[in-house]
Amino acid sequence: MFKKLSAEFLGTFWLVFGGCGSAVLAAALPGVGIGYLGVSFAFGLTVLTMAYAVGGISGGHFNPAVSVGLTVAGKFPASNLVGYVIAQVLGAIAAAAVLYVIASGKGDFQLGGFAANGYGEHSPGGYSLTAALVAEVVLTFFFLFIILGSTHGRVPAGFAPIAIGLALTLIHLVSIPVTNTSVNPARSTGQALFVGDWALSQLWLFWVAPIVGAAIAGIVWKIVGDDD
C-alpha cells in the first residue's frame, strides 16, 4: 500500500505541477505564451506520462473523483479510498507549494488567480455557478466513463493512457473558459490553499461536482458496460 500511495502522491504532484505550472508560468508569456491550447495539452500530457510511469503500481488515479467513480463502479476497493484521496490531496498541495516558490522568484510576481478554479466573477469567461456546476459534472462523468471503457479487458492493452490523456486535453479545451477546469478536487484544493479568500469559498463546488459526475459514471457503467 505504501508504494501505491506514493505513486498516487507523485502522479498527482506531476499533474498539478505540469498542468497548473503551464498556466501560471507559460500561458501568458509575452510573444511566446502557450495560451489555453498549450495548457490543455499540458494537463493531458501529465496524465498520459504518469499513467505509463506509475499506473501499473497504483492504477493511476491522481484524482479523488476518479477513485470515487471507480469505487462506485466496483473497480476499486472502498477500503483503499480514503488513503488514495489523502495521498492525492497531499501531492496536489506539495505541487502548488513548489510552483509558488518558483513563480514568486519572478521580480514582478503577483499571485493573481494562481490557476485556481472559480465561477461567477472568478470564472475566466464570467460563467455562472450553474454553468460551472453543469460543466464540471458532465465533463467528469465522461472522463470517468472514458477511463472505465479504455481500461476494459477487451480493449487492446497499453493504449488506455493515450485515450485518458487526450480526454483530459479535450476537457480542458472545452472548460478552461468556464471554470479554469477542475474535474479533480485535489487539483482545485492545492491552488485554492495558496489563493485563499474567494478560491477557498468556492472550493466546495470543485469537490461536489466532480465527485457527483464520477459517481454517476460509475453507476451508468455498471448498467451499460460489459464485465471484464
Side-chain angles (χ1 to χ4, degrees), residues 167-224:
L168 191 59
T169 298
L170 176 59
I171 286 168
H172 280 77
L173 287 171
V174 172
S175 62
I176 286 178
V178 183
T179 63
N180 230 9
T181 310
S182 172
V183 302
N184 185 335
R187 168 262 189 271
S188 299
T189 300
Q191 304 306 118
L193 287 176
F194 283 85
V195 175
D197 192 24
W198 63 266
L200 287 175
S201 69
Q202 295 189 356
L203 182 59
W204 67 270
L205 185 142
F206 302 105
W207 275 88
V208 172
I211 287 175
V212 168
I216 295 172
I219 293 169
V220 172
W221 181 260
K222 291 178 75 172
I223 298 171
V224 304

Side-chain angles (χ1 to χ4, degrees), residues 25-173:
L25 303 175
L29 195 65
V32 293
I34 62 175
Y36 284 176
L37 179 62
V39 174
S40 299
F41 272 101
F43 271 101
L45 289 170
T46 62
V47 170
L48 188 156
T49 52
M50 267 299 179
Y52 277 120
V54 300
I57 300 172
S58 68
H61 299 188
F62 318 143
N63 182 338
V66 169
S67 297
V68 169
L70 292 175
T71 300
V72 172
K75 304 297 184 181
F76 182 68
S79 59
N80 292 349
L81 180 59
V82 173
Y84 265 53
V85 170
I86 291 173
Q88 292 155 358
V89 171
L90 291 177
I93 294 171
V98 173
L99 179 57
Y100 179 84
V101 171
I102 295 171
S104 61
K106 191 171 184 287
D108 58 350
F109 170 72
Q110 292 183 337
L111 182 64
F114 200 52
N117 300 114
Y119 54 83
E121 64 177 309
H122 301 294
S123 157
Y127 288 83
S128 67
L129 186 158
T130 300
L133 178 66
V134 172
E136 290 290 330
V137 169
V138 170
L139 292 171
T140 312
F141 170 89
F142 278 101
F143 187 46
L144 200 282
F145 199 82
I146 290 166
I147 290 171
L148 288 165
S150 63
T151 56
H152 190 277
R154 294 185 183 179
V155 176
F159 291 97
I162 299 174
I164 296 167
L166 289 175
L168 191 59
T169 298
L170 176 59
I171 286 168
H172 280 77
L173 287 171

